[in-house]
Amino acid sequence: MDIQITSTIIQVSLVLIIVGLILSNWEPPIKAQYRAMLMIAIGGALGHYLGCGIIWGVIIAGLVFFKDKLVEEVRLVQGSFNDIKDKKAE
């Protein structure tokens, strides 16, 4: 990957993280599906505008929006591997 594209992807990621934090703490609360649509639209627009591509913007927006669920699933898989490792050690 080109260094310009990499720095652009980092910029899009940081902006989307900030937007996600703002939207999740908004008062009165915004429905999750509206937050998702806003994140995807902003991610696609930023990706297109900054030159890394609409798809990268949408992918990053999805990862930022679903970060809690992704972290939970990774911890679940890690726990499963630790359980398997412990059973083999016995």
Side-chain angles (χ1 to χ4, degrees):
M1 256 192 188
D2 186 16
I3 190 73
Q4 180 68 27
I5 299 269
T6 305
S7 66
T8 304
I9 290 173
I10 292 171
Q11 290 172 351
V12 170
S13 301
L14 291 175
V15 169
L16 286 172
I17 288 170
I18 292 169
V19 168
L21 289 172
I22 291 170
L23 290 176
S24 66
N25 294 321
W26 195 271
E27 284 296 326
I30 302 171
K31 286 186 171 183
Q33 61 264 34
Y34 297 144
R35 284 193 325 238
M37 288 189 303
L38 282 169
M39 294 287 291
I40 290 172
I42 291 169
L46 276 174
H48 177 69
Y49 177 72
L50 293 176
C52 68
I54 294 172
I55 298 300
W56 276 110
V58 170
I59 289 171
I60 295 168
L63 290 174
V64 169
F65 183 75
F66 291 110
K67 66 184 174 293
D68 297 332
K69 292 179 184 176
L70 290 171
V71 169
E72 182 181 321
E73 291 297 322
V74 168
R75 287 185 180 158
L76 181 66
V77 170
Q78 182 183 10
S80 297
F81 281 127
N82 289 338
D83 291 344
I84 291 170
K85 190 170 102 175
D86 291 342
K87 286 181 182 178
K88 285 185 177 181
E90 294 175 353

